[in-house]
Amino acid sequence: MKSLNIIFGWALSVANIYYAQPLLDVMARDVGTPPAVIGLIVTLTQLGYGLGLIFIVPLGDLVDRRRLIVGQGILSVIVLIVIATATTAAVLFASLVVMGLLAVVVQVLVAFAATLATPAERGKAVGLVTSGIVIGILSARFIAGVLADLGGWRAVYLASAVLTAVMVALLMRVLPRKCPPDSADSYGAALRSVPRLFLGDRILLMRGILALLIFAAFSSFWTALVLPLSAPPFSYSHSQIGLFGLVGLAGAIAATGAGRLADRGLGDTTTGVSLALLLGSWGLIAFLPWSIPALLIGVVMLDLAIQAIHVTNQSIIFQRHPQARSRLVGGYMVFYSIGSAVGAIGSTMVFAQAGWLGVSVLGATFSAVALLAWAAMRRRSSGSAVADTFACRTRDGAQELSAPLKTVRRLWKALSA
């Protein structure tokens, strides 16, 4: 029961920054925002999220995480009410920035879970956390669509304020008490150490770059999807558009499976296979004007690939510097936030000029660059202890390459176990 309560907290926390995606058109009309810049609604939330990652998440290494989590939850309730009652674009945009700032509570929870888990099960624990995050992202789109059709977009944020208050009460009951901080550093020293950690560790930096690129692709798709689906010939309601998010539940499955693979030392190979899957998904996503079934298959591929890479990235970075896990997740998620913001504003601008095909090309470009970056990282890491390879050894000790099909089969079995 405690695990379910905490997963509910993860899901709801991250949902707060994704409610707006299927509601962009109606929110923009309500506050008088021009169509070409409606991506700002998502971008500003991601900006606040990025600031929170830099200035709030590192506190998790220095203070009582339970108090930090509960405090952020209470403030989130207040801000959600302000968003729901905003009557001008200025108030709405400013409130969304603060909402993003406070939503980083989910990353404090991620680091908390990694600290409490044993080393042999850390990847599994990170996968469980990410499953909650995926559920939050997907349910946000669906719930937002249903509530918007029933009571308008403001009802979405009022309902979230109530649920967040319930979440805070649950977390106060289930989170461990009196967990000592992981570090005795000052706040200033903790902030200064974040860029040093990533600039001084090539593995951390490359995993951050991968996060930026894959979430730029992710945000490109989900931010722009509402635009063609809400217009003729589809003219779907917000509830119908929200249902598309549920197709991506494969991402939650990938999250737990990828964590187990990382625990077995297959993180690098999982990353490569997932990046190839991500790039291939855009070929199907581009069929949106002509084939909804092709789009749905592409959504499954995209969400599965991105969540598998995301879990693998976090499992790897948490192994690097155990005493700085909150700072590591904060720094890593800055890359995530930048990518999400770039994808959000980029996709809406591209859609205005080149339609859905332009969005598909943009997403495929982000994905291809990520695959090339992984390939370059793999070449540089060849023969080192941090990179797993496609190699196996015969009985006499000679090394030979295993068939790619065999490797993919092994990955699939692990993901579906």
Side-chain angles (χ1 to χ4, degrees), residues 93-178:
F93 289 165
S95 301
L96 288 171
V97 172
V98 179
M99 182 69 261
L101 188 74
L102 295 170
V104 296
V105 63
V106 71
Q107 302 308 327
V108 180
L109 282 162
V110 170
F112 206 176
T115 298
L116 296 174
T118 63
E121 295 187 341
R122 187 159 291 126
K124 181 180 178 181
V126 173
L128 179 63
V129 176
T130 306
S131 293
I133 294 172
V134 173
I135 291 169
I137 294 172
L138 299 177
S139 62
R141 298 187 180 98
F142 175 66
I143 293 171
V146 172
L147 290 179
D149 285 339
L150 293 175
W153 70 267
R154 298 179 188 278
V156 176
Y157 289 94
L158 285 174
S160 182
V162 174
L163 290 174
T164 301
V166 173
M167 178 201 75
V168 172
L170 290 173
L171 291 177
M172 289 178 68
R173 292 184 58 188
V174 303
L175 289 178
R177 297 175 181 269
K178 298 180 179 179

Side-chain angles (χ1 to χ4, degrees), residues 4-305:
L4 291 176
N5 288 338
I6 295 174
I7 289 174
F8 171 72
W10 291 324
L12 185 58
S13 298
V14 75
N16 285 333
I17 62 174
Y18 286 96
Y19 286 133
Q21 285 190 343
L23 310 176
L24 289 179
D25 54 342
V26 65
M27 291 177 72
R29 286 197 302 269
D30 200 10
V31 297
T33 303
V37 295
I38 58 176
L40 278 174
I41 292 175
V42 176
T43 299
L44 289 173
T45 306
Q46 292 296 338
L47 173 63
Y49 197 70
L51 292 173
L53 293 170
I54 295 171
F55 295 107
I56 295 179
V57 175
L59 283 170
D61 289 331
L62 312 177
V63 301
D64 185 327
R65 286 192 177 104
R66 183 178 182 276
R67 291 184 179 180
L68 180 61
I69 290 166
V70 171
Q72 287 179 264
I74 293 172
L75 292 175
S76 294
V77 173
I78 297 171
V79 175
L80 284 165
I81 294 172
V82 173
I83 292 173
T85 56
T87 56
T88 66
V91 173
L92 176 64
F93 289 165
S95 301
L96 288 171
V97 172
V98 179
M99 182 69 261
L101 188 74
L102 295 170
V104 296
V105 63
V106 71
Q107 302 308 327
V108 180
L109 282 162
V110 170
F112 206 176
T115 298
L116 296 174
T118 63
E121 295 187 341
R122 187 159 291 126
K124 181 180 178 181
V126 173
L128 179 63
V129 176
T130 306
S131 293
I133 294 172
V134 173
I135 291 169
I137 294 172
L138 299 177
S139 62
R141 298 187 180 98
F142 175 66
I143 293 171
V146 172
L147 290 179
D149 285 339
L150 293 175
W153 70 267
R154 298 179 188 278
V156 176
Y157 289 94
L158 285 174
S160 182
V162 174
L163 290 174
T164 301
V166 173
M167 178 201 75
V168 172
L170 290 173
L171 291 177
M172 289 178 68
R173 292 184 58 188
V174 303
L175 289 178
R177 297 175 181 269
K178 298 180 179 179
C179 289
D182 293 334
S183 173
D185 291 345
S186 67
Y187 179 60
L191 292 182
R192 290 191 297 271
S193 70
V194 175
R196 286 202 300 266
L197 285 169
F198 282 83
L199 294 176
D201 189 324
R202 180 170 51 83
I203 299 298
L204 294 183
L205 182 60
M206 287 306 301
R207 289 290 161 177
I209 291 172
L210 286 180
L212 188 154
L213 292 168
I214 65 171
F215 281 105
F218 183 83
S219 184
S220 294
F221 174 77
W222 286 111
T223 301
L225 183 63
V226 64
L227 303 177
L229 292 182
S230 61
F234 302 108
S235 300
Y236 289 159
S237 68
H238 291 107
S239 299
Q240 291 172 312
I241 294 172
L243 285 171
F244 280 79
L246 299 183
V247 178
L249 279 174
I253 300 171
T256 54
R260 290 195 294 268
L261 287 171
D263 288 335
R264 299 175 190 174
L266 289 170
D268 196 52
T269 303
T270 303
T271 301
V273 173
S274 299
L275 284 169
L277 187 68
L278 174 61
L279 180 58
S281 71
W282 288 101
L284 295 170
I285 289 170
F287 277 92
L288 170 59
W290 307 285
S291 175
I292 293 296
L295 171 69
L296 295 178
I297 296 172
V299 171
V300 172
M301 293 170 61
L302 179 138
D303 274 6
L304 190 153

Side-chain angles (χ1 to χ4, degrees), residues 265-270 374 378 381-393 399-402 407 410:
L266 289 170
D268 196 52
T269 303
T270 303
W374 169 83
R378 187 179 176 85
S381 301
S382 179
S384 69
V386 286
D388 64 311
T389 68
F390 285 98
C392 61
R393 293 190 178 275
Q399 196 175 57
E400 63 180 10
L401 291 178
S402 60
T407 303
R410 182 171 59 172

